[in-house]
Amino acid sequence: AGGVAGVCVDLILFPLDTVKTRLQSPQGFRKAGGFRGIYAGVPSTAIGSFPNAAAFFITYENVKTMMHHSSASYLTPATHMVAASIGEVVACLIRVPSEVVKQRAQVSPSSSTLRILSHTLYHEGIQGLYRGYKSTVLREIPFSLVQFPLWEALKDLWSWKQGHVVDSWQSAVCGAFAGGFAAAVTTPLDVAKTRIMLAKAGSSNASGNVLSALGGIWRTQGLSGLFAGVVPRMAAISLGGFIFLGTYEKTRQLLL
């Protein structure tokens, strides 16, 4: 169910993600490709989406189930936070290499995904594919700490109001609200992650220091730099939350 949801959302929203990446890139939107080659890097996403989303939900649901047995009801939000955080750490092992190749293809639309993958492996080795792992985890954990407890709380509230468990479309609406809010507050971390992944080997950002990347963006571009791409990111993740969490619930209901 998680894998199907991941593929659906990533492929449908890929153009918005490309626009966001180019807005955040150090060379600027136009030099990074503008609106040309909007599907550059899509093979990397198509391959990585299913195992990445599946790994997240397998971990999330299992940790949630284990912790529910041993915790009081008032600790439910904390349970969702811990489960989502552990899920992200595991999923990022698959997501980061896919994301590195995808983002580099998005800002170099004339290069193929395969060429970028081989170039990265040749010049930087396997660790080049994991450039930005730390910054991705540092972005995803705060994002999940906001999104998943909010999603679960909104579903519980809606269920209580109507007297029965929410339908998949209602879960999707809750996912859209939770995703949009989480996207807005974590945008600076997303900009830092993009700069680290796109940095030239040997540059200061290539070291993967998130605080250093954030400080550099603040000094050169101020608040507008830290929130570069916030509108397409919110739009993509709100719509993504609707598709992702709605598809997940619907597929799970069909399978169970």
Side-chain angles (χ1 to χ4, degrees):
V4 169
V7 171
C8 286
V9 73
D10 284 346
L11 295 183
I12 291 168
L13 300 180
F14 195 85
L16 266 177
D17 185 69
T18 301
V19 170
K20 181 218 67 164
T21 298
R22 290 175 182 176
L23 283 167
Q24 293 177 349
S25 69
Q27 69 259 52
F29 181 68
R30 283 193 180 174
K31 286 185 179 175
F35 289 105
R36 291 180 293 105
I38 214 81
Y39 277 95
V42 78
S44 171
T45 294
I47 293 165
S49 283
F50 192 98
N52 155 39
F56 172 80
F57 274 111
I58 287 168
T59 310
Y60 177 70
E61 294 291 354
N62 275 303
V63 173
K64 200 170 76 167
T65 303
M66 285 190 304
M67 291 184 71
H68 266 315
H69 292 315
S70 57
S71 62
S73 59
Y74 65 87
L75 291 174
T76 298
T79 299
H80 295 149
M81 286 179 175
V82 172
S85 299
I86 296 171
E88 290 296 356
V89 171
V90 173
C92 281
L93 293 170
I94 301 163
R95 182 181 306 153
V96 171
S98 167
E99 185 98 343
V100 167
V101 174
K102 179 201 75 176
Q103 290 206 313
R104 291 180 182 184
Q106 285 174 327
V107 298
S108 306
S110 57
S111 297
S112 70
T113 299
L114 194 58
R115 188 187 297 177
I116 286 169
L117 173 62
S118 58
H119 182 272
T120 303
L121 284 171
Y122 181 76
H123 289 282
E124 299 177 65
I126 291 290
Q127 70 186 78
L129 289 176
Y130 279 92
R131 164 105 68 84
Y133 177 81
K134 193 166 63 177
S135 59
T136 305
V137 169
L138 285 173
R139 177 199 66 174
E140 293 298 345
I141 287 179
F143 181 85
S144 294
L145 288 178
V146 176
Q147 185 190 31
F148 279 88
L150 187 54
W151 175 54
E152 300 275 12
L154 289 170
K155 284 197 302 176
D156 288 346
L157 181 63
W158 204 335
S159 298
W160 174 72
K161 284 269 188 186
Q162 66 186 9
H164 63 82
V165 176
V166 290
D167 299 323
S168 54
W169 72 267
Q170 293 170 322
S171 175
V173 172
C174 296
F177 276 104
F181 182 74
V185 298
T186 58
T187 295
L189 291 170
D190 186 55
V191 177
K193 182 216 64 135
T194 298
R195 295 292 176 91
I196 287 166
M197 284 185 172
L198 298 179
K200 288 178 180 170
S203 65
S204 59
N205 276 345
S207 66
N209 189 315
V210 179
L211 286 177
S212 170
L214 287 170
I217 297 161
W218 172 256
R219 283 191 300 275
T220 55
Q221 293 172 283
L223 199 61
S224 63
L226 288 174
F227 283 89
V230 67
V231 174
R233 176 170 159 79
M234 280 184 69
I237 292 178
S238 292
L239 193 51
F242 184 88
I243 298 166
F244 184 58
L245 297 171
T247 305
Y248 172 68
E249 291 280 3
K250 187 67 181 173
T251 310
R252 205 171 76 153
Q253 285 168 14
L254 290 171
L255 291 170
L256 297 176

